[in-house]
Amino acid sequence: MEVCVWRCVLVCVWSLVVPGWSYGPKQRAQRSGDIMLGGLFPIHLGVESHDQDLAARPEATECVRFNFRGFRWLQAMVFAVDQINNSTELLPNVTLGYRIHDTCNTVSKALEATLSFVAQNKIDSLSLDEFCNCSGKVPSTIAVVGATGSSVSTSVANLLGLFYIPQISYGSSSRLLSNRQQFQSFMRTIPSDEQQAVAMAAVIDHFGWNWVIAVASDDDYGRPAVEKFENEMLERDICIDLNELISQYATEAEVQALADRIQNSSARVIAAFATAPDLEPLVRELARRNLTGRVWLASEAWATSSLIARPEYLDVMVGTLGFALRAGPIPGFRDFLRQIRPGLSSSHNEFVREFWEETFNCYLEDEEGSTRRERKQEGSEVEGEEGGASLRPRCSGDEDVSSVETQYLDYTHLRISYNVYVAVYAIAHALQEILTCKPGKGLFANNSCADIRRVEAWQILKQLRHLRFHDSLGELVSFNEGTELHGNYTIVNWHRSPSDSSVEFREVGYHLSANGRGEGKLYIDRTKLIWTGQLTEVKLIFTGQLTEVPFSNCSEDCDPGTRKGIIDGMPTCCFECTECSDGEFSDHKDASVCAKCPSDSWSRGNHTSCFRKEIHFLSWAEPFGVTLAILASLGVMATAFVLALFIKFRDTPIVKAANRELSYLLLTSLIFCFLSSLTFIGRPKDWSCRLRQPAFGVSFVLCISCILVKTNRVLLVFEAKIPTSVHRKWWGLNLQFLLVFLFTFVQVAICVVWLYNAPPASYENHELDDEVIVVTCHEGSTMALGLLIGYTCLLAAACFLFAFKSRNLPENFTEAKCITFSMLIFFIVWGSFVPAYVSTHGKYVSAVEVIAILASSFSMLACLFFNKVYILLFKPSRNTVEEVRCSTAAHAFKAAARATLRHGSNASRKRSSSPSLSSSSSSKPEMEGGGSLESGRERERGRAPRVSFEGMSMSGCDRRRDSELSKP
C-alpha cells in the first residue's frame, strides 16, 4: 500500500510540475483525446554529424534538412484523426488524440520517440487511478503509425513487439518485416519490396537489357530488396555487373570510388533500391562529373523524391523510370494543407513553425530557439549574438503557402500520404468493432468484448489481425497472417519541364501484381518515354522496334541465323555470336539456342528459316519412272501377244510339242512378272510395300517352276529306255501342275510368314541427304527378302542344270540352249542385283530391282518363245508333224552314233590291253565290218530295230529336205 502511494505521488508530482508532460523528444505534434495514437514521421532527413569526445556531457544531436514530404505525411495523419473525430458514424462519442514525433530518418531518434510510447504505457499499467487522481495524466498510446524507412521500422518493431503495441507502417517495404514470428505486432499499408523487385526485373526484361548495375541502401530496406532482385535477374538470365551498397554517411572517398566503378562499367542501366538521403551523395558526384547516358530505375523510396529530382541533377537523372505507389484520393486534404498557419491555431503541432520558416526562408521573431536553429543551418551560428537572425527576413505569419512551390503542396499524386490515411482509418475501424462488439461475440476470452474506455494496446492488436475492410480505391485491407497487399505500381518517367526546367513525373505505365508472389501484368506506353540525353520532351515514333531505347547489354545482339555462344570466364550475358548448325535456325535476334527444323524441313543458307525438303521416290512423272513403266507395259503386251498366238495355234505340232498347257501358265506368270515391276513405281505406301516383293517372288517362282517341270519331263521321257504306262501316268498333266503348285506354295509360305512377322512398310528416310526426304519401303526383314530371292535362285539353278542336260534334245520339244542362256542371264542379273541393291540408296533402290525384274523377264520371254513365234508367223512349213518326227529321228540317229563311237573306243582300249588277242582281232573288223560290230552292240542293248528305223527315217527326211531346197 505504501509503495502504491509513493508511485501515485511520483506521477502526480511530475504531472503538476510539467502539465501535459510525457516522455520523448520535446518537439512534437500532440493533441489529447480519449484514445491516443502514436506517430513516427521523418520531418527531417538526418542529424548533424560531429564527434563526441565525451570531455563534457554529450549534447543531444540536432536534426537537419527539413523534409516537406515528411511534414505532409504528418499532416495526413492529423487530417485523418480530425476527420474521424468529426464523423458521426465512426467512433461516435470517442475522441482520438495523437502524439507524433520526428524520427529524423535515423534509428536513434526513432527509438527515443518509441521509448516515450512504451514508458507512458508502463506508467499506465501501474493502475494508480484508484489511489490518486492525477488530472494532468496523458492516456497511453494504443497504436503507432510509422515509420518510413525499413531499417527504422525494424528497430521500432522489435521494441513495440515486446509490449504488443500494434505498429502500422506506411512506408516500410522490406520483405524481412513480413516475418510475423519476429515482428509480431508489425503491419503495413505498403506492398512488400519482394513484389517491387519482380516489377523492376520485368521492366528490364521488357526492354531487352541484360547488363545492369544494382545499387542499394546499406540497411534493412536495401539489402533484402537487392537480394530478391538478384534472384529475379538470375531467373531471367540477366546479369548484374556491379552490386553496390551505399549510405548517406559514406565518406567522400567511398562515394568517388563508387562513381569511378559506375563510370568504368559498360552497363548503362542502374537499378537503385535506396532511400533518397542515401542515394543523394552519389547522384551529386555523378552530376559533378556530368555522367550522362545512364538509365536509372528508381524504387518507390525515391521515385518521386524532391531530394533527387532537382534541376541541378536533371542532366544526369532525366529519363529515370520510377516505381511509384498507386495514388489514392483523400477528399478535403488539399484545403486542409492550405489552411496551415503559425500561431495559436497550430499550437498542437510544433513542427509548423519550422515548416513556415523553411518554406518562406524567414524567421519568426517570438521564438528565439528557432532563430538559433536557423543560424546553425546557414552555417553562421554566433553564440549569444542576436544579429544572426538578420540573415533571414522576419516572417509576418500571413504569407500564402500556395505561392511557394514545395513538395508539401504536391497533392496531385498522394501515395505515402494515402497510406498514412489508410493506416489511421484501419485503427479507427478496429476501435469501431470494439465499440460495437456484442457480448458473446467478441474475440477475447469466452467471446468477451473489450471496454472501449479502458482498451489496451494488445486488444487493438488482436482486433487488427482480424480486420477486413475496403479502402477508397476498393482494395481489401487486411492484416491477417500471410496476407500482403498487392504490389500495384505506377511507372513514372522523369521529364524536364519546358517552362522552368523542373522535374515532371509523367505516368507512362503500370505493373499490377496478380498475387502475393508478384506475378502480374506490365504495361508501358513507349510513345510517352524519353531517355537520358533527351533534354526536351519529344514524342518517339513507334515503329515496331524502338531504336531509341538505350543499349545496356554485355554483348551486341546476335543477328537471326546465329545464337549466343558462351565465353569462358565471362558471365552468361557476355557471349559471342555463333552461326547455327545445319538443320537449325533462329528467326529473331539474340537467340539463346537455335531451334531444330522440323523433320520434313531443312535450314536455308543463312539459317534464318527452314524450307520443306524435297520428297524423292521413283515417280510416275519423272522420265526414268516413265521409261521403266513403258518397258513393263511393252513386256506385258509382248507376252500377251505370244499367249494369244499360242492360243490361236494351240493345235499345231510346235505348240503341242512345247507342252501347251504349261506354256499358257508360263506366259501368264511372265505377265505377272512384268506387272509386279509396276508396284515399285510411285510413292510407296504400306499396301504397296507389302505387295511388291511377294508379287515379284511368287510370279517369278511360278514362271521358273513351269520351265523346270517342262524341261525335266522331256528329259526323262527321252532318257527312258522303254516309255511305259508308268511314265505316262507319273508325268501326266496333273502331276506337272501339282509340282508347279508345290514349288510355288513354298514361296507363298515364305511370303505369308514374312508379312505376318515383319511386314514391310513405307517410311521417310531423312539420313541420306540433308535436303531430301527419300520415301522408300522398309522391308521389315532382310533375311526374309534374302530367303525369297534365294529360293527363286535355287529353282533357277535347278532349271539351269536340267536345261544343260537336255541341250541335245530335239529343238521342237525344248529349247535347251535358250533356256540355258536365259537362266545364265537370270543369274547374271540377280547376281549383280545383290551388290547393286546394297550399295544403292534413295529412290534408285527400287529402280535397280525394277531393272532386274524387267531384264530377267525379257530374257525368258525372248529365249523361250522368240523361235516359236518366228516359226508360227514366218515359217509355218516347219510347224508340221513330219518336221517334228524328223527332228526326233535325227536326235535318235545322233544318239545311236554317239553310243557306237563310245562302244568302239571302249573295245579298242580292251584289245590294246591284251597282246594275245591283238593279231586275231586286227583282221576282224575287216572281215565283219562295222555293221557286224554295231549289230552285236545293238543286240546286247536290245536296240537293233531302232537302228533300222533311224536309217529309214533319215532317208525320208533327207529327201524331203532336198525337195524343199529345190523349190523356187
Side-chain angles (χ1 to χ4, degrees), residues 287-309:
R288 186 186 66 82
R289 301 186 182 193
N290 194 27
L291 187 61
T292 60
R294 269 68 176 175
V295 178
W296 290 80
L297 300 181
S299 64
E300 46 79 24
W302 67 279
T304 57
S305 172
S306 59
L307 188 63
I308 306 298

Side-chain angles (χ1 to χ4, degrees), residues 420-454:
V420 175
Y421 184 77
V422 172
V424 175
Y425 265 85
I427 299 172
H429 279 284
L431 291 171
Q432 178 70 17
E433 292 185 358
I434 293 176
L435 179 64
T436 59
C437 177
K438 296 180 180 180
K441 295 184 179 180
L443 298 176
F444 305 99
N446 301 322
N447 297 326
S448 60
C449 299
D451 185 2
I452 192 64
R453 297 294 177 180
R454 301 178 60 86

Side-chain angles (χ1 to χ4, degrees), residues 243-256:
N243 194 345
E244 302 289 344
L245 297 176
I246 58 175
S247 172
Q248 60 179 315
Y249 304 109
T251 64
E252 184 177 354
E254 292 173 340
V255 173
Q256 290 181 354

Side-chain angles (χ1 to χ4, degrees), residues 469-535:
F469 76 100
H470 289 83
D471 58 16
S472 58
L473 290 176
E475 296 182 351
L476 177 65
V477 179
S478 175
F479 303 111
N480 292 340
E481 185 173 358
T483 301
E484 291 283 357
L485 295 179
H486 289 181
N488 299 330
Y489 299 96
T490 299
I491 301 176
V492 296
N493 189 218
W494 290 21
H495 291 232
R496 185 190 295 272
S497 174
S499 58
D500 56 1
S501 297
S502 62
V503 179
E504 293 183 358
F505 304 109
R506 303 286 183 87
E507 294 186 5
V508 296
Y510 57 83
H511 182 274
L512 302 180
S513 174
N515 51 48
R517 295 189 300 272
E519 302 173 0
K521 177 183 178 181
L522 173 68
Y523 169 75
I524 296 178
D525 187 354
R526 295 195 179 194
T527 61
K528 297 181 179 180
L529 290 174
I530 64 169
W531 301 103
T532 177
Q534 295 172 294
L535 301 183

Side-chain angles (χ1 to χ4, degrees), residues 174-315:
S174 173
R175 65 186 182 91
L176 297 180
L177 292 168
S178 299
N179 187 349
R180 286 292 178 88
Q181 299 296 325
Q182 183 177 358
F183 307 103
Q184 53 188 351
S185 66
F186 178 83
M187 291 157 281
R188 56 186 167 192
T189 57
I190 186 174
S192 169
D193 279 336
E194 187 165 348
Q195 302 176 54
Q196 183 176 207
V198 174
M200 192 172 291
V203 169
I204 294 174
D205 196 16
H206 173 78
F207 287 109
W209 298 320
N210 66 5
W211 193 237
V212 300
I213 298 173
V215 177
S217 293
D218 190 11
D219 54 21
D220 290 337
Y221 169 72
R223 287 191 297 269
V226 78
E227 181 182 350
K228 175 64 177 178
F229 180 71
E230 287 178 338
N231 295 334
E232 290 296 322
M233 294 294 99
L234 186 61
E235 291 182 3
R236 289 173 166 82
D237 293 329
I238 301 174
C239 301
I240 298 178
D241 183 28
L242 295 176
N243 194 345
E244 302 289 344
L245 297 176
I246 58 175
S247 172
Q248 60 179 315
Y249 304 109
T251 64
E252 184 177 354
E254 292 173 340
V255 173
Q256 290 181 354
L258 175 57
D260 290 338
R261 291 193 291 272
I262 293 175
Q263 186 172 2
N264 295 330
S265 173
S266 59
R268 292 296 181 266
V269 175
I270 305 174
F273 293 90
T275 61
D278 287 337
L279 187 64
E280 197 267 342
L282 175 62
V283 174
R284 187 191 315 119
E285 175 62 23
L286 296 178
R288 186 186 66 82
R289 301 186 182 193
N290 194 27
L291 187 61
T292 60
R294 269 68 176 175
V295 178
W296 290 80
L297 300 181
S299 64
E300 46 79 24
W302 67 279
T304 57
S305 172
S306 59
L307 188 63
I308 306 298
R310 294 181 178 179
E312 58 267 29
Y313 299 155
L314 199 52
D315 288 347

